[in-house]
């Protein structure tokens, strides 16, 4: 069935990855390897890469991405713990997307970590930020994969409640691919006269920035377990948008007291946050 197919695909992919890595190490002899550490399902491949790099004496830099690393280390089982310990011991440099990983690495693995948050290109930063709330319409923006764990179902309900109860003309723009469940949900979603919802789909990076430049509030009610420091938050900050988000991943540390945080991904919490912003 499906499980057997998954296992076959995993084994096939692992074999192809191993072959490519060996070819790269044997014939190209890189000066170093930069691994974007996804751990979780990728931990076996990352371990194998470190073993081979060690055999061929090629130094590795391991960059810990996303916000689930501590939970993975504490609850991933003995085998995964051995993999992580080996990876960290053999990596010449360890980079951390989240600052809180640095004391954790020191205490748990006696390994020095270096803070490397997500960043934007200086050439993309606008000379002046958006002038917020300059029109009669409150403009809201979400960028990302429209799926349940990104909070978009609750976002739509919360925004509709806000438009209905306040009478404020509101426009919500959704940028990104849609999960099938969400596409079905939004097709049947009824909006009031005060609310316009625009679904523009997946866009090129430069077109996403154009949308950033036209909005007032960036909405990111994510409840994704692996959320770290999403780069769309950086882009929203550089355009000076008000930011409505959850306390997932590293966002409380990144935003400090400049974000409008919701404690729960619930339409009523989103409604109240929008009321506060308004």
């Amino acid at each position: 069935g499906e499980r057997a197919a998954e296992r076959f695909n995993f084994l096939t992919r692992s074999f192809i990855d191993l072959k490519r890595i060996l070819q790269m190490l044997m014939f190209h002899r890189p000066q170093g390897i930069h691994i974007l550490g996804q751990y979780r399902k990728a931990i076996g491949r990352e371990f194998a890469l470190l073993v081979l790099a060690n055999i061929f004496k090629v130094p590795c830099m391991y960059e810990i991405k996303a916000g689930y690393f501590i939970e993975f280390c504490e609850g991933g089982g003995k085998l995964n713990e051995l993999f992580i310990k080996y990876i960290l011991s053999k990596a010449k440099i360890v980079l951390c997307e989240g600052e809180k990983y640095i004391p954790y690495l020191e205490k748990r693995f006696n390994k020095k970590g270096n803070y490397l948050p997500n960043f934007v290109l200086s050439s993309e930063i606008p000379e002046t930020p958006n002038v917020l709330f300059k029109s009669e319409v409150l403009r809201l923006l979400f960028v990302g994969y429209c799926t349940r764990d990104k909070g978009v179902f609750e976002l739509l309900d919360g925004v509709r409640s806000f438009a209905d109860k306040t009478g404020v003309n509101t426009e919500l723009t959704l940028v990104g691919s849609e999960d099938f469940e969400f596409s079905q949900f939004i097709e049947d979603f009824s909006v009031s006269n005060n609310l316009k919802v625009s679904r523009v789909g997946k866009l090129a990076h430069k077109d996403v920035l154009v949308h950033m430049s036209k909005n007032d509030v960036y909405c990111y009610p994510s409840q994704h377990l692996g959320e770290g420091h999403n780069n769309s938050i950086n882009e929203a900050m550089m355009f000076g948008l008000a930011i409505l988000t959850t306390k997932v991943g590293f966002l409380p540390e990144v935003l400090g007291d400049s974000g409008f945080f919701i404690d729960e991904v619930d339409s009523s919490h989103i409604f109240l946050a929008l009321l506060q912003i308004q």
Side-chain angles (χ1 to χ4, degrees):
E2 281 185 28
R3 270 199 150 158
E6 271 181 33
R7 284 199 198 101
F8 178 76
N9 288 337
F10 175 77
L11 288 170
T12 305
R13 184 179 167 188
S14 298
F15 176 77
I16 292 168
D17 283 350
L18 186 63
K19 182 185 172 188
R20 286 175 175 165
I21 291 164
L22 279 169
Q23 285 175 332
M24 182 261 295
L25 289 168
M26 291 170 70
F27 302 119
H28 298 288
R29 305 299 297 211
Q31 289 181 309
I33 299 171
H34 178 192
I35 302 169
L36 293 176
Q38 300 297 316
Y39 42 99
R40 290 172 290 184
K41 289 182 180 179
I43 192 68
R45 287 199 300 276
E46 293 169 2
F47 169 74
L49 179 51
L50 260 294
V51 169
L52 290 171
N54 195 46
I55 291 169
F56 285 89
K57 294 184 169 50
V58 177
C60 286
M61 178 165 66
Y62 189 71
E63 183 176 354
I64 304 170
K65 303 294 284 182
Y68 202 68
F69 183 72
I70 294 174
E71 292 82 350
F72 178 78
C73 290
E74 296 302 315
K78 288 291 181 186
L79 182 60
N80 286 334
E81 186 179 352
L82 288 172
F83 284 166
I84 281 287
K85 281 182 176 176
Y86 181 86
I87 288 168
L88 294 175
S89 68
K90 296 301 180 185
K92 294 291 182 191
I93 298 172
V94 176
L95 303 177
C96 304
E97 185 183 331
E99 202 167 10
K100 65 184 178 186
Y101 288 167
I102 293 172
Y104 177 76
L105 288 173
E106 186 72 44
K107 185 178 179 183
R108 180 84 157 75
F109 300 103
N110 194 28
K111 186 73 178 183
K112 181 181 183 295
N114 302 273
Y115 182 43
L116 184 71
N118 276 338
F119 53 86
V120 292
L121 299 176
S122 57
S123 59
E124 291 180 346
I125 300 173
E127 287 185 19
T128 54
N130 297 4
V131 178
L132 304 184
F133 318 117
K134 63 184 176 183
S135 75
E136 294 300 311
V137 180
L138 181 65
R139 301 185 192 281
L140 315 175
L141 176 68
F142 168 85
V143 178
Y145 183 37
C146 296
T147 186
R148 188 165 288 282
D149 66 356
K150 292 290 183 178
V152 283
F153 291 81
E154 294 83 358
L155 177 62
L156 273 172
D157 283 333
V159 170
R160 178 170 60 184
S161 293
F162 173 80
D164 284 346
K165 292 174 182 176
T166 62
V168 173
N169 287 325
T170 308
E171 184 173 339
L172 172 63
T173 302
L174 302 168
V175 178
S177 303
E178 293 179 0
D179 179 69
F180 178 68
E181 182 193 13
F182 180 71
S183 296
Q184 283 189 311
F185 170 77
I186 199 169
E187 289 294 342
D188 299 326
F189 187 78
S190 60
V191 295
S192 66
N193 293 332
N194 296 329
L195 176 61
K196 178 185 175 186
V197 178
S198 299
R199 300 154 66 193
V200 299
K202 192 173 183 179
L203 296 177
H205 177 62
K206 61 181 176 60
D207 297 320
V208 173
L209 296 184
V210 170
H211 278 282
M212 287 279 183
S213 72
K214 293 178 178 177
N215 280 272
D216 303 307
V217 183
Y218 185 63
C219 303
Y220 197 70
S222 175
Q223 52 192 342
H224 178 49
L225 281 176
E227 200 72 68
H229 171 189
N230 191 282
N231 224 29
S232 66
I233 294 289
N234 283 351
E235 290 155 2
M237 285 196 289
M238 77 183 189
F239 280 100
L241 301 184
I243 298 173
L244 186 165
T245 187
T246 51
K247 295 176 180 177
V248 293
F250 315 124
L251 298 186
E253 291 84 5
V254 170
L255 287 167
D257 58 2
S258 64
F260 291 85
F261 288 106
I262 54 173
D263 294 318
E264 194 180 319
V265 181
D266 180 86
S267 59
S268 63
H269 286 247
I270 291 167
F271 164 76
L272 290 171
L274 287 172
L275 208 58
Q276 186 184 1
I277 291 168
Q278 176 66 10

